PDB file of all heavy atoms in Angstrom:
ATOM      1  N   PHE N 131      -2.797 -20.640 -13.009  1.00  0.00           N
ATOM      2  CA  PHE N 131      -1.497 -20.028 -13.078  1.00  0.00           C
ATOM      3  C   PHE N 131      -0.985 -19.726 -11.673  1.00  0.00           C
ATOM      4  O   PHE N 131      -1.704 -19.107 -10.886  1.00  0.00           O
ATOM      5  CB  PHE N 131      -1.525 -18.728 -13.917  1.00  0.00           C
ATOM      6  CG  PHE N 131      -1.508 -18.995 -15.383  1.00  0.00           C
ATOM      7  CD1 PHE N 131      -2.672 -19.341 -16.057  1.00  0.00           C
ATOM      8  CD2 PHE N 131      -0.315 -18.901 -16.112  1.00  0.00           C
ATOM      9  CE1 PHE N 131      -2.673 -19.582 -17.416  1.00  0.00           C
ATOM     10  CE2 PHE N 131      -0.276 -19.133 -17.483  1.00  0.00           C
ATOM     11  CZ  PHE N 131      -1.482 -19.466 -18.139  1.00  0.00           C
ATOM     12  N   VAL N 132       0.208 -20.169 -11.374  1.00  0.00           N
ATOM     13  CA  VAL N 132       0.804 -19.995 -10.067  1.00  0.00           C
ATOM     14  C   VAL N 132       1.819 -18.835 -10.146  1.00  0.00           C
ATOM     15  O   VAL N 132       2.717 -18.865 -11.019  1.00  0.00           O
ATOM     16  CB  VAL N 132       1.502 -21.261  -9.573  1.00  0.00           C
ATOM     17  CG1 VAL N 132       2.178 -21.029  -8.196  1.00  0.00           C
ATOM     18  CG2 VAL N 132       0.513 -22.396  -9.503  1.00  0.00           C
ATOM     19  N   VAL N 133       1.696 -17.862  -9.291  1.00  0.00           N
ATOM     20  CA  VAL N 133       2.661 -16.778  -9.150  1.00  0.00           C
ATOM     21  C   VAL N 133       3.519 -17.083  -7.919  1.00  0.00           C
ATOM     22  O   VAL N 133       3.006 -17.122  -6.816  1.00  0.00           O
ATOM     23  CB  VAL N 133       1.965 -15.412  -8.979  1.00  0.00           C
ATOM     24  CG1 VAL N 133       2.991 -14.302  -8.847  1.00  0.00           C
ATOM     25  CG2 VAL N 133       1.021 -15.130 -10.157  1.00  0.00           C
ATOM     26  N   SER N 134       4.803 -17.317  -8.138  1.00  0.00           N
ATOM     27  CA  SER N 134       5.696 -17.622  -7.035  1.00  0.00           C
ATOM     28  C   SER N 134       6.500 -16.395  -6.637  1.00  0.00           C
ATOM     29  O   SER N 134       7.127 -15.720  -7.493  1.00  0.00           O
ATOM     30  CB  SER N 134       6.676 -18.748  -7.463  1.00  0.00           C
ATOM     31  OG  SER N 134       5.962 -19.926  -7.756  1.00  0.00           O
ATOM     32  N   LEU N 135       6.496 -16.095  -5.337  1.00  0.00           N
ATOM     33  CA  LEU N 135       7.165 -14.912  -4.796  1.00  0.00           C
ATOM     34  C   LEU N 135       7.816 -15.277  -3.481  1.00  0.00           C
ATOM     35  O   LEU N 135       7.496 -16.234  -2.835  1.00  0.00           O
ATOM     36  CB  LEU N 135       6.143 -13.798  -4.522  1.00  0.00           C
ATOM     37  CG  LEU N 135       5.230 -13.348  -5.663  1.00  0.00           C
ATOM     38  CD1 LEU N 135       4.106 -12.459  -5.069  1.00  0.00           C
ATOM     39  CD2 LEU N 135       6.021 -12.574  -6.694  1.00  0.00           C
ATOM     40  N   SER N 136       8.761 -14.384  -3.043  1.00  0.00           N
ATOM     41  CA  SER N 136       9.210 -14.380  -1.655  1.00  0.00           C
ATOM     42  C   SER N 136       8.684 -13.180  -0.935  1.00  0.00           C
ATOM     43  O   SER N 136       8.997 -12.973   0.233  1.00  0.00           O
ATOM     44  CB  SER N 136      10.758 -14.391  -1.605  1.00  0.00           C
ATOM     45  OG  SER N 136      11.272 -15.649  -1.978  1.00  0.00           O
ATOM     46  N   SER N 137       7.895 -12.378  -1.627  1.00  0.00           N
ATOM     47  CA  SER N 137       7.327 -11.155  -1.024  1.00  0.00           C
ATOM     48  C   SER N 137       6.261 -11.544  -0.025  1.00  0.00           C
ATOM     49  O   SER N 137       5.432 -12.447  -0.283  1.00  0.00           O
ATOM     50  CB  SER N 137       6.735 -10.271  -2.097  1.00  0.00           C
ATOM     51  OG  SER N 137       7.682 -10.096  -3.174  1.00  0.00           O
ATOM     52  N   VAL N 138       6.197 -10.844   1.113  1.00  0.00           N
ATOM     53  CA  VAL N 138       5.318 -11.233   2.179  1.00  0.00           C
ATOM     54  C   VAL N 138       4.114 -10.304   2.251  1.00  0.00           C
ATOM     55  O   VAL N 138       4.270  -9.088   2.197  1.00  0.00           O
ATOM     56  CB  VAL N 138       6.078 -11.193   3.533  1.00  0.00           C
ATOM     57  CG1 VAL N 138       5.113 -11.515   4.681  1.00  0.00           C
ATOM     58  CG2 VAL N 138       7.265 -12.149   3.514  1.00  0.00           C
ATOM     59  N   ASP N 139       2.925 -10.903   2.365  1.00  0.00           N
ATOM     60  CA  ASP N 139       1.700 -10.114   2.596  1.00  0.00           C
ATOM     61  C   ASP N 139       1.522  -9.986   4.094  1.00  0.00           C
ATOM     62  O   ASP N 139       1.263 -10.960   4.806  1.00  0.00           O
ATOM     63  CB  ASP N 139       0.520 -10.837   1.962  1.00  0.00           C
ATOM     64  CG  ASP N 139      -0.732  -9.951   1.932  1.00  0.00           C
ATOM     65  OD1 ASP N 139      -0.888  -9.122   2.829  1.00  0.00           O
ATOM     66  OD2 ASP N 139      -1.554 -10.139   0.989  1.00  0.00           O
ATOM     67  N   LEU N 140       1.670  -8.771   4.582  1.00  0.00           N
ATOM     68  CA  LEU N 140       1.521  -8.496   6.021  1.00  0.00           C
ATOM     69  C   LEU N 140       0.082  -8.191   6.420  1.00  0.00           C
ATOM     70  O   LEU N 140      -0.166  -7.808   7.546  1.00  0.00           O
ATOM     71  CB  LEU N 140       2.426  -7.297   6.420  1.00  0.00           C
ATOM     72  CG  LEU N 140       3.916  -7.436   6.153  1.00  0.00           C
ATOM     73  CD1 LEU N 140       4.649  -6.147   6.501  1.00  0.00           C
ATOM     74  CD2 LEU N 140       4.483  -8.601   6.925  1.00  0.00           C
ATOM     75  N   GLY N 141      -0.812  -8.388   5.490  1.00  0.00           N
ATOM     76  CA  GLY N 141      -2.219  -8.053   5.734  1.00  0.00           C
ATOM     77  C   GLY N 141      -2.697  -6.871   4.902  1.00  0.00           C
ATOM     78  O   GLY N 141      -3.876  -6.507   4.931  1.00  0.00           O
ATOM     79  N   GLN N 142      -1.774  -6.273   4.168  1.00  0.00           N
ATOM     80  CA  GLN N 142      -2.119  -5.080   3.365  1.00  0.00           C
ATOM     81  C   GLN N 142      -2.799  -5.432   2.060  1.00  0.00           C
ATOM     82  O   GLN N 142      -3.272  -4.559   1.359  1.00  0.00           O
ATOM     83  CB  GLN N 142      -0.875  -4.232   3.122  1.00  0.00           C
ATOM     84  CG  GLN N 142       0.053  -4.743   2.032  1.00  0.00           C
ATOM     85  CD  GLN N 142       1.041  -5.811   2.498  1.00  0.00           C
ATOM     86  OE1 GLN N 142       0.732  -6.554   3.403  1.00  0.00           O
ATOM     87  NE2 GLN N 142       2.188  -5.872   1.883  1.00  0.00           N
ATOM     88  N   GLY N 143      -2.824  -6.722   1.682  1.00  0.00           N
ATOM     89  CA  GLY N 143      -3.530  -7.125   0.462  1.00  0.00           C
ATOM     90  C   GLY N 143      -2.632  -7.373  -0.709  1.00  0.00           C
ATOM     91  O   GLY N 143      -3.110  -7.411  -1.855  1.00  0.00           O
ATOM     92  N   LEU N 144      -1.346  -7.605  -0.487  1.00  0.00           N
ATOM     93  CA  LEU N 144      -0.415  -7.795  -1.616  1.00  0.00           C
ATOM     94  C   LEU N 144      -0.807  -8.997  -2.476  1.00  0.00           C
ATOM     95  O   LEU N 144      -0.756  -8.924  -3.689  1.00  0.00           O
ATOM     96  CB  LEU N 144       0.999  -8.007  -1.061  1.00  0.00           C
ATOM     97  CG  LEU N 144       2.100  -8.202  -2.108  1.00  0.00           C
ATOM     98  CD1 LEU N 144       2.223  -6.969  -3.015  1.00  0.00           C
ATOM     99  CD2 LEU N 144       3.424  -8.570  -1.462  1.00  0.00           C
ATOM    100  N   LYS N 145      -1.248 -10.083  -1.862  1.00  0.00           N
ATOM    101  CA  LYS N 145      -1.635 -11.256  -2.657  1.00  0.00           C
ATOM    102  C   LYS N 145      -2.783 -10.954  -3.610  1.00  0.00           C
ATOM    103  O   LYS N 145      -2.795 -11.425  -4.763  1.00  0.00           O
ATOM    104  CB  LYS N 145      -2.020 -12.404  -1.711  1.00  0.00           C
ATOM    105  CG  LYS N 145      -0.848 -13.128  -1.072  1.00  0.00           C
ATOM    106  CD  LYS N 145      -1.329 -14.368  -0.339  1.00  0.00           C
ATOM    107  CE  LYS N 145      -0.181 -15.195   0.176  1.00  0.00           C
ATOM    108  NZ  LYS N 145      -0.654 -16.429   0.867  1.00  0.00           N
ATOM    109  N   THR N 146      -3.736 -10.139  -3.144  1.00  0.00           N
ATOM    110  CA  THR N 146      -4.854  -9.794  -4.011  1.00  0.00           C
ATOM    111  C   THR N 146      -4.403  -8.952  -5.170  1.00  0.00           C
ATOM    112  O   THR N 146      -4.782  -9.187  -6.341  1.00  0.00           O
ATOM    113  CB  THR N 146      -5.928  -9.056  -3.189  1.00  0.00           C
ATOM    114  OG1 THR N 146      -6.365  -9.878  -2.110  1.00  0.00           O
ATOM    115  CG2 THR N 146      -7.095  -8.669  -4.064  1.00  0.00           C
ATOM    116  N   VAL N 147      -3.611  -7.921  -4.941  1.00  0.00           N
ATOM    117  CA  VAL N 147      -3.149  -7.065  -6.011  1.00  0.00           C
ATOM    118  C   VAL N 147      -2.266  -7.806  -6.995  1.00  0.00           C
ATOM    119  O   VAL N 147      -2.365  -7.608  -8.210  1.00  0.00           O
ATOM    120  CB  VAL N 147      -2.374  -5.850  -5.391  1.00  0.00           C
ATOM    121  CG1 VAL N 147      -1.675  -5.058  -6.476  1.00  0.00           C
ATOM    122  CG2 VAL N 147      -3.330  -4.925  -4.674  1.00  0.00           C
ATOM    123  N   VAL N 148      -1.405  -8.703  -6.476  1.00  0.00           N
ATOM    124  CA  VAL N 148      -0.565  -9.499  -7.356  1.00  0.00           C
ATOM    125  C   VAL N 148      -1.435 -10.383  -8.244  1.00  0.00           C
ATOM    126  O   VAL N 148      -1.143 -10.515  -9.470  1.00  0.00           O
ATOM    127  CB  VAL N 148       0.413 -10.345  -6.505  1.00  0.00           C
ATOM    128  CG1 VAL N 148       0.987 -11.509  -7.322  1.00  0.00           C
ATOM    129  CG2 VAL N 148       1.532  -9.489  -5.959  1.00  0.00           C
ATOM    130  N   ALA N 149      -2.444 -11.020  -7.686  1.00  0.00           N
ATOM    131  CA  ALA N 149      -3.334 -11.851  -8.496  1.00  0.00           C
ATOM    132  C   ALA N 149      -4.056 -11.018  -9.554  1.00  0.00           C
ATOM    133  O   ALA N 149      -4.226 -11.457 -10.700  1.00  0.00           O
ATOM    134  CB  ALA N 149      -4.348 -12.520  -7.593  1.00  0.00           C
ATOM    135  N   GLN N 150      -4.430  -9.791  -9.213  1.00  0.00           N
ATOM    136  CA  GLN N 150      -5.067  -8.888 -10.172  1.00  0.00           C
ATOM    137  C   GLN N 150      -4.086  -8.569 -11.326  1.00  0.00           C
ATOM    138  O   GLN N 150      -4.503  -8.595 -12.512  1.00  0.00           O
ATOM    139  CB  GLN N 150      -5.490  -7.569  -9.500  1.00  0.00           C
ATOM    140  CG  GLN N 150      -6.691  -7.697  -8.590  1.00  0.00           C
ATOM    141  CD  GLN N 150      -7.047  -6.367  -7.985  1.00  0.00           C
ATOM    142  OE1 GLN N 150      -6.790  -6.097  -6.847  1.00  0.00           O
ATOM    143  NE2 GLN N 150      -7.667  -5.504  -8.809  1.00  0.00           N
ATOM    144  N   CYS N 151      -2.852  -8.243 -10.984  1.00  0.00           N
ATOM    145  CA  CYS N 151      -1.875  -7.881 -12.015  1.00  0.00           C
ATOM    146  C   CYS N 151      -1.618  -9.060 -12.948  1.00  0.00           C
ATOM    147  O   CYS N 151      -1.538  -8.888 -14.174  1.00  0.00           O
ATOM    148  CB  CYS N 151      -0.546  -7.475 -11.367  1.00  0.00           C
ATOM    149  SG  CYS N 151      -0.607  -5.831 -10.524  1.00  0.00           S
ATOM    150  N   ALA N 152      -1.507 -10.275 -12.356  1.00  0.00           N
ATOM    151  CA  ALA N 152      -1.265 -11.450 -13.188  1.00  0.00           C
ATOM    152  C   ALA N 152      -2.453 -11.740 -14.098  1.00  0.00           C
ATOM    153  O   ALA N 152      -2.297 -12.002 -15.291  1.00  0.00           O
ATOM    154  CB  ALA N 152      -0.946 -12.635 -12.283  1.00  0.00           C
ATOM    155  N   ALA N 153      -3.653 -11.699 -13.514  1.00  0.00           N
ATOM    156  CA  ALA N 153      -4.853 -12.046 -14.307  1.00  0.00           C
ATOM    157  C   ALA N 153      -5.068 -11.021 -15.440  1.00  0.00           C
ATOM    158  O   ALA N 153      -5.399 -11.390 -16.557  1.00  0.00           O
ATOM    159  CB  ALA N 153      -6.074 -12.050 -13.381  1.00  0.00           C
ATOM    160  N   GLU N 154      -4.870  -9.756 -15.147  1.00  0.00           N
ATOM    161  CA  GLU N 154      -5.068  -8.727 -16.158  1.00  0.00           C
ATOM    162  C   GLU N 154      -4.053  -8.905 -17.305  1.00  0.00           C
ATOM    163  O   GLU N 154      -4.428  -8.736 -18.465  1.00  0.00           O
ATOM    164  CB  GLU N 154      -4.897  -7.329 -15.524  1.00  0.00           C
ATOM    165  CG  GLU N 154      -5.083  -6.164 -16.471  1.00  0.00           C
ATOM    166  CD  GLU N 154      -6.500  -5.977 -16.922  1.00  0.00           C
ATOM    167  OE1 GLU N 154      -7.413  -6.527 -16.249  1.00  0.00           O
ATOM    168  OE2 GLU N 154      -6.730  -5.308 -17.929  1.00  0.00           O
ATOM    169  N   THR N 155      -2.827  -9.217 -16.981  1.00  0.00           N
ATOM    170  CA  THR N 155      -1.784  -9.360 -17.997  1.00  0.00           C
ATOM    171  C   THR N 155      -1.995 -10.637 -18.807  1.00  0.00           C
ATOM    172  O   THR N 155      -1.845 -10.632 -20.055  1.00  0.00           O
ATOM    173  CB  THR N 155      -0.402  -9.384 -17.356  1.00  0.00           C
ATOM    174  OG1 THR N 155      -0.249  -8.208 -16.527  1.00  0.00           O
ATOM    175  CG2 THR N 155       0.712  -9.415 -18.406  1.00  0.00           C
ATOM    176  N   LEU N 156      -2.309 -11.705 -18.167  1.00  0.00           N
ATOM    177  CA  LEU N 156      -2.525 -12.993 -18.855  1.00  0.00           C
ATOM    178  C   LEU N 156      -3.837 -12.980 -19.635  1.00  0.00           C
ATOM    179  O   LEU N 156      -3.992 -13.729 -20.604  1.00  0.00           O
ATOM    180  CB  LEU N 156      -2.555 -14.147 -17.853  1.00  0.00           C
ATOM    181  CG  LEU N 156      -1.199 -14.501 -17.211  1.00  0.00           C
ATOM    182  CD1 LEU N 156      -1.422 -15.354 -15.955  1.00  0.00           C
ATOM    183  CD2 LEU N 156      -0.301 -15.201 -18.202  1.00  0.00           C
ATOM    184  N   GLY N 157      -4.818 -12.193 -19.156  1.00  0.00           N
ATOM    185  CA  GLY N 157      -6.124 -12.156 -19.820  1.00  0.00           C
ATOM    186  C   GLY N 157      -7.018 -13.296 -19.381  1.00  0.00           C
ATOM    187  O   GLY N 157      -7.828 -13.794 -20.171  1.00  0.00           O
ATOM    188  N   ILE N 158      -6.900 -13.676 -18.075  1.00  0.00           N
ATOM    189  CA  ILE N 158      -7.683 -14.790 -17.585  1.00  0.00           C
ATOM    190  C   ILE N 158      -8.441 -14.341 -16.307  1.00  0.00           C
ATOM    191  O   ILE N 158      -8.133 -13.269 -15.768  1.00  0.00           O
ATOM    192  CB  ILE N 158      -6.751 -15.976 -17.219  1.00  0.00           C
ATOM    193  CG1 ILE N 158      -5.798 -15.606 -16.088  1.00  0.00           C
ATOM    194  CG2 ILE N 158      -6.013 -16.465 -18.460  1.00  0.00           C
ATOM    195  CD1 ILE N 158      -4.950 -16.758 -15.566  1.00  0.00           C
ATOM    196  N   PRO N 159      -9.412 -15.132 -15.861  1.00  0.00           N
ATOM    197  CA  PRO N 159     -10.128 -14.770 -14.633  1.00  0.00           C
ATOM    198  C   PRO N 159      -9.189 -14.762 -13.427  1.00  0.00           C
ATOM    199  O   PRO N 159      -8.270 -15.612 -13.323  1.00  0.00           O
ATOM    200  CB  PRO N 159     -11.193 -15.865 -14.493  1.00  0.00           C
ATOM    201  CG  PRO N 159     -11.352 -16.407 -15.868  1.00  0.00           C
ATOM    202  CD  PRO N 159      -9.993 -16.345 -16.494  1.00  0.00           C
ATOM    203  N   MET N 160      -9.422 -13.883 -12.485  1.00  0.00           N
ATOM    204  CA  MET N 160      -8.599 -13.799 -11.318  1.00  0.00           C
ATOM    205  C   MET N 160      -8.614 -15.081 -10.450  1.00  0.00           C
ATOM    206  O   MET N 160      -7.607 -15.444  -9.842  1.00  0.00           O
ATOM    207  CB  MET N 160      -9.030 -12.586 -10.473  1.00  0.00           C
ATOM    208  CG  MET N 160      -8.145 -12.286  -9.256  1.00  0.00           C
ATOM    209  SD  MET N 160      -8.650 -10.777  -8.447  1.00  0.00           S
ATOM    210  CE  MET N 160      -7.816 -10.962  -6.852  1.00  0.00           C
ATOM    211  N   GLU N 161      -9.762 -15.762 -10.496  1.00  0.00           N
ATOM    212  CA  GLU N 161      -9.857 -16.989  -9.684  1.00  0.00           C
ATOM    213  C   GLU N 161      -8.984 -18.101 -10.227  1.00  0.00           C
ATOM    214  O   GLU N 161      -8.772 -19.127  -9.565  1.00  0.00           O
ATOM    215  CB  GLU N 161     -11.314 -17.453  -9.598  1.00  0.00           C
ATOM    216  CG  GLU N 161     -11.986 -17.635 -10.919  1.00  0.00           C
ATOM    217  CD  GLU N 161     -12.801 -16.412 -11.333  1.00  0.00           C
ATOM    218  OE1 GLU N 161     -12.442 -15.281 -10.951  1.00  0.00           O
ATOM    219  OE2 GLU N 161     -13.801 -16.599 -12.083  1.00  0.00           O
ATOM    220  N   ASN N 162      -8.417 -17.954 -11.411  1.00  0.00           N
ATOM    221  CA  ASN N 162      -7.498 -18.925 -11.967  1.00  0.00           C
ATOM    222  C   ASN N 162      -6.054 -18.688 -11.540  1.00  0.00           C
ATOM    223  O   ASN N 162      -5.145 -19.402 -12.002  1.00  0.00           O
ATOM    224  CB  ASN N 162      -7.568 -18.949 -13.494  1.00  0.00           C
ATOM    225  CG  ASN N 162      -8.836 -19.606 -14.017  1.00  0.00           C
ATOM    226  OD1 ASN N 162      -9.921 -19.115 -13.834  1.00  0.00           O
ATOM    227  ND2 ASN N 162      -8.666 -20.767 -14.653  1.00  0.00           N
TER     228      ASN N 162
END
Side-chain angles (χ1 to χ4, degrees):
F131 281 80
V132 179
V133 180
S134 298
L135 306 168
S136 287
S137 311
V138 178
D139 191 329
L140 301 175
Q142 77 277 29
L144 181 63
K145 283 187 173 182
T146 301
V147 169
V148 162
Q150 288 181 255
C151 289
E154 181 70 18
T155 306
L156 290 163
I158 64 174
M160 185 174 163
E161 54 265 29
N162 285 67

